[in-house]
Amino acid sequence: MYDVVIIGGGPAGYVAAIKCAQLGLSVACVESMSDSEGNQKYGGTCLNVGCIPSKALLDSSQRFYEANNDLSKHGINTGEVKLDIPAMMERKDKIVTQLVSGVSGLFKANKVTPIQGHGKLLSGKKVEVTNGESIEIIEASNIILATGSKPIEINSATFNNNNIVDSTGALEFSSIPKKLGVIGAGVIGLELGSVWCRLGSEVTMLEALPEFLPMADKKMAKEVYKEFTKQGLDIKLGCKVTQAKANKTNVKVEYEENGSINEKVFDKLIVCVGRAPNTKDLLSDDCGVDLDDRGFIKVDDFCSTKEPGVWAVGDVVRGPMLAHKGSEEGVMVAERIAGKHAAVNYDLVPSVIYTHPELAWVGKNEEELKAEGVEYKTGSFPFAASGRALATDESVGSVKVLADKLTDTILGIHVFGPSAAELVQQGLIAMEFGSSSEDIGLTMFSHPTVSEALHEAALAANGHAIHIGNRKR
Ligand code: FAD
Ligand code: NAD
């Protein structure tokens, strides 16, 4: 009998496990993922096939692109730049292995009991663990469900693990597809589309919606679309893929665009149209846990299900499917089990698309503020006016700060440009402390840094920017 059993060892589950152990609770974490030799692998989608391997390839591909296209501007001539895909993949895999074994190490250090197998919640806070032929029942005072998500498959383009693949397949191509199709111009499509585009693929993206990145700030999304198109991504909006026919060497995709039927042939096709909660064989009929109409486990603001002592966190519950959101929920639930009054601030979950430049934001965008009838002011600053951005040849994009018209409290920060994720993170810390844009304006920033663009945008919200002519008084 444990204090806590967690099903799923991704960033939501493994962080919850470590936090529970740190709070003095006895805890076991059930995980079904294993390597080809049957060794258990913690870290979930994020470490194994998500955040980390994608960022490793984004970084490698950007270096290749820069070596080919940008170094000569600095007076550095390299001659022919050769690409070694197996070495690039080996580097990515090494980072994944290091981090995955790091989680096992943290479990050992914190005395979290690892349990290998598929977990299923039974009634009475029991968990059935199946590992091959063996079935074990374990019990706990609290259960945390953290089984994450899986790629959505569409009927018109079913995965074949050869040339119609999901994001995991797209992290493992052994050569550069000459022509690459991507269904879905969302976060994964843009990140992985960029990777292969930089390495030389001709990339066509087929997006169902007529609007590009509807969750982002509208004006910024327009700027992003223009920049990515310039980089070589052919993003077709308002497209309906009707069928994808694969043979051994290529995929013929038929799609409807502006009322006409078109056809394109690709060497590889990535389908990345969103992810669905992973609840397959997870819940017995009498376990007392409900799903919502989209298949997510139903929880309240504190990640409690309607069954006392059964919690759910991460991608398997409502809200953005982001590793940091899941981890914070894991910490909150651990603390609540230990009797503390923890909460997650769902208003301040940062979003980042790790393209080059990055797009990142936190809080509200202008469209949301307008819809809510909030009166706001904006302060913007282009990286083209930042000394550091110009010096590093990264002057595309801008920073936008949105603040309440009356109180000056910061309501949203949106950045497209160099180190956007880090800049938004700085602003987010200020927002957590209820900062006004004037507070950021009164703060000293090192020169020359790209962070100065956040300073200037905050100053601009009150008409006080120094390096742009936007004085309002
Ligand atoms: P998961 O990470 O999916 O982990 C769930 C775990 O539960 C898995 O290990 C699974 O094997 C296990 N499991 C499932 N069912 C059972 C069962 N019944 N019994 C036992 N074990 C079970 N997010 C970001 O914040 N930043 C990024 O840069 C980012 N990049 C991404 C890139 C890609 C290509 C993808 C696909 C995703 C990316 N994400 C990113 C999303 C991020 O990976 C997820 O939000 C995050 O992993 C969710 O964490 P989780 O713990 O809820 O679930
Ligand atoms: P997404 O929701 O970001 O994008 C999916 C896109 O596919 C949308 O634009 C949608 O309109 C489109 N689409 C849906 N059905 C379609 C169809 N039939 N034909 C054409 N287009 C269609 O989902 P994703 O890119 O698959 O990513 C899944 C999740 O993983 C996201 O929720 C994201 O939060 C997470 N993720 C995060 C990061 C990050 O934080 N940097 C990176 C990768 C993934």
Side-chain angles (χ1 to χ4, degrees), residues 8 10-12 31-32 44-46 50-51 55 118-119 147-148 314-315 321-323:
E31 171 58 60
S32 56
T45 304
C46 171
C51 322
K55 269 76 235 175
H118 176 96
T147 50
D315 280 11
M321 287 181 164
L322 296 170

Side-chain angles (χ1 to χ4, degrees), residues 256-303:
E256 243 180 78
E257 190 186 14
N258 299 327
S260 67
I261 303 283
N262 301 285
E263 197 181 276
K264 267 193 179 279
V265 178
F266 301 111
D267 301 296
K268 299 274 183 193
L269 179 68
I270 309 173
V271 182
C272 41
V273 294
R275 294 177 62 86
N278 198 359
T279 54
K280 192 165 179 257
D281 295 329
L282 176 67
L283 306 170
S284 70
D285 292 343
D286 58 353
C287 72
V289 171
D290 291 338
L291 301 181
D292 68 17
D293 50 7
R294 295 169 60 219
F296 290 91
I297 296 176
K298 246 190 193 170
V299 288
D300 64 14
D301 286 350
F302 303 108
C303 292

Side-chain angles (χ1 to χ4, degrees), residues 348-350 362 413 423-433:
L348 294 184
V349 180
V362 66
I413 298 178
L423 262 62
V424 161
Q425 196 62 51
Q426 293 178 30
L428 194 159
I429 295 170
M431 289 170 81
E432 271 290 356
F433 290 97

